[in-house]
Amino acid sequence: MSPRGVAIPDLRERLFAAAERVVARDGAVALTSRAVTAEADCAKGVLHTHFAGLDEFVAELVLDRFARSARQAEALQAKVGQATVAENLQEVVETLLDSLPPAVVGLAMTRPAAAAHTREGFQSGAPAFDAIQHAVTAYLQAEQHAGRIPAGCDAAAIALALVGTTHHLLMTRTPGSAPDTAVTTQRLLAVLLGS
């Protein structure tokens, strides 16, 4: 949490969405506090009013998007017995990949202060890949009980393989490679689920 306080939720999301648009349109190098506030149609100093600086802002953006992805993974429980298991898991993977643009992830990893703040957030309990993995495991176990995947499947190993691959895709993909990641995920799910 910022020593200066956290932006009110609507403003916070408005700034985060603006940052994603700036990065998508102009690349990571264009991400400045001024570019974000101009894109969000806010006063120039508003980002620094609510965040200690651009590094903290970028880290909080990444933490927020991981939390959103974890919520999506937790929502899998409501989908037990609906659609196909592969379709439900594909949706979670796509949400995670869509939630964290490669350039934003790159910023969070290459800016030492942003990386440190992100690590601190995860160490303090912010949802990360482990939360997503636990949610996927619980979902797969529920689908086993429902008889939609074989009882002998190792749900925890499938979840680990899926989330580990998603992490790899997230860290190595380049902008515009979404179709490749979708195909890769579909192929992986076919192998993991034996379909």
Side-chain angles (χ1 to χ4, degrees):
M1 188 176 290
S2 167
R4 298 173 187 223
V6 175
I8 57 172
D10 290 344
L11 178 59
R12 180 180 168 97
E13 178 55 34
R14 190 168 151 194
L15 291 169
F16 287 165
E20 290 172 327
R21 288 192 304 272
V22 168
V23 169
R25 183 183 60 238
D26 304 323
V29 71
L31 189 67
T32 64
S33 57
R34 184 166 284 177
V36 171
T37 54
E39 182 71 25
D41 197 26
C42 295
K44 288 179 185 165
V46 75
L47 187 142
H48 292 283
T49 301
H50 298 286
F51 299 93
L54 190 61
D55 287 324
E56 181 182 275
F57 172 78
V58 168
E60 288 293 327
L61 168 58
V62 170
L63 292 170
D64 179 83
R65 294 328 192 214
F66 265 108
R68 180 168 42 178
S69 296
R71 288 190 300 274
Q72 180 73 25
E74 289 166 4
L76 278 170
Q77 286 299 325
K79 295 183 178 192
V80 173
Q82 300 175 17
T84 68
V85 174
E87 288 169 340
N88 292 336
L89 293 173
Q90 181 78 32
E91 184 179 338
V92 168
V93 170
E94 288 173 6
T95 298
L96 178 58
L97 294 174
D98 289 345
S99 292
L100 289 164
V104 172
V105 173
L107 273 173
M109 297 300 108
T110 59
R111 295 174 68 104
H117 188 85
T118 303
R119 273 193 307 277
E120 288 169 11
F122 290 147
Q123 290 167 353
S124 297
F129 283 108
D130 58 342
I132 296 166
Q133 182 181 334
H134 292 309
V136 171
T137 299
Y139 165 73
L140 289 168
Q141 290 168 339
E143 290 287 20
Q144 279 180 308
H145 291 353
R148 298 207 327 144
I149 59 174
C153 284
D154 186 338
I158 293 170
L160 175 62
L162 181 63
V163 173
T165 300
T166 303
H167 179 265
H168 171 74
L169 293 172
L170 185 63
M171 300 308 287
T172 60
R173 71 189 175 132
T174 55
S177 65
D180 294 337
T181 59
V183 169
T184 298
T185 305
Q186 289 167 359
R187 289 173 51 215
L188 176 67
L189 286 167
V191 171
L192 292 175
L193 298 174
S195 53

